[in-house]
Amino acid sequence: GDVTLAANQVLLQFVYLASYAMDGFVFAAESLVGQAMGAKAVAQLRRGASVTAVWAFGSAIVMAAGFWIAGPFVIDVMAKDPAVQQAARLYLPHMALAPLLGALAWMLDGVFIGATRTKDMRNMMILSFLGYCGLVLLLLPSFGNHGLWMAMNGFFILRGVSLALRYPALERVAAAP
């Protein structure tokens, strides 16, 4: 319905905010990993990926706490209809989890872009999207809009895990003569 649609649109702004905030770490990862790959320096690659990951996850924790604490206030600022405010608050916990569950995917996007491994990114995106579709089919009928948000967070997890599984290949390429 209209109220759920409006609430979802308000909550998507939280996801956009989290992803834009992570962009700084993603850009740093791109640069550091690109330099390491060009230098064929595995230790430098690992350091670039790990330092940006620490900062990304630290920021994700702060954002998640901020969404949880300030989320109701932000919802009230963004939506004036009481029904939309109530609906958005109902799904807010999913948004509080989004930065935590999406941080690995966003950070590894920067790592893979810096390593110019776009084929891996494409393939893992396809797998993650298929997983997302499965989650939607599984969760939406039983949980409604909660199922949709759970599927989105599941997509973030799938993206992060699938890229993490491909990460060792980056180190092998960096170590190759």
Side-chain angles (χ1 to χ4, degrees):
D2 291 343
V3 171
T4 302
L5 183 64
N8 285 352
Q9 183 56 39
V10 168
L11 293 173
L12 277 174
Q13 304 314 307
F14 288 84
V15 177
Y16 296 148
L17 178 65
S19 67
Y20 291 140
M22 290 290 178
D23 272 351
F25 306 113
V26 171
F27 295 149
E30 289 174 19
S31 176
L32 294 170
V33 168
Q35 289 173 355
M37 294 298 284
K40 298 275 190 190
V42 177
Q44 188 179 343
L45 166 65
R46 196 173 293 144
R47 179 162 165 62
S50 63
V51 166
T52 54
V54 167
W55 281 98
F57 280 102
S59 297
I61 291 167
V62 170
M63 279 187 283
F67 289 174
W68 187 260
I69 295 165
F73 171 76
V74 174
I75 288 168
D76 289 351
V77 169
M78 294 176 69
K80 297 303 175 192
D81 184 299
V84 173
Q85 291 171 342
Q86 181 181 3
R89 281 190 183 92
L90 182 63
Y91 305 112
L92 183 62
H94 299 290
M95 293 307 93
L97 288 173
L100 297 171
L101 300 176
L104 182 62
W106 295 320
M107 192 275 304
L108 284 173
D109 276 347
V111 169
F112 278 81
I113 290 169
T116 65
R117 300 291 289 219
T118 55
K119 181 179 174 184
D120 287 331
M121 290 181 67
R122 179 201 62 208
N123 293 344
M124 297 309 102
M125 177 61 84
I126 291 169
L127 287 174
S128 300
F129 176 71
L130 292 173
Y132 167 77
C133 290
L135 288 171
V136 168
L137 291 173
L138 181 69
L139 298 171
L140 194 60
S142 298
F143 298 101
N145 200 49
H146 282 290
L148 185 62
W149 288 113
M150 288 187 282
M152 185 198 68
N153 280 333
F155 171 75
F156 290 150
I157 293 168
L158 290 170
R159 276 286 286 150
V161 168
S162 65
L163 287 171
L165 291 173
R166 294 295 306 146
Y167 176 81
L170 295 182
E171 289 193 1
R172 286 192 297 275
V173 169

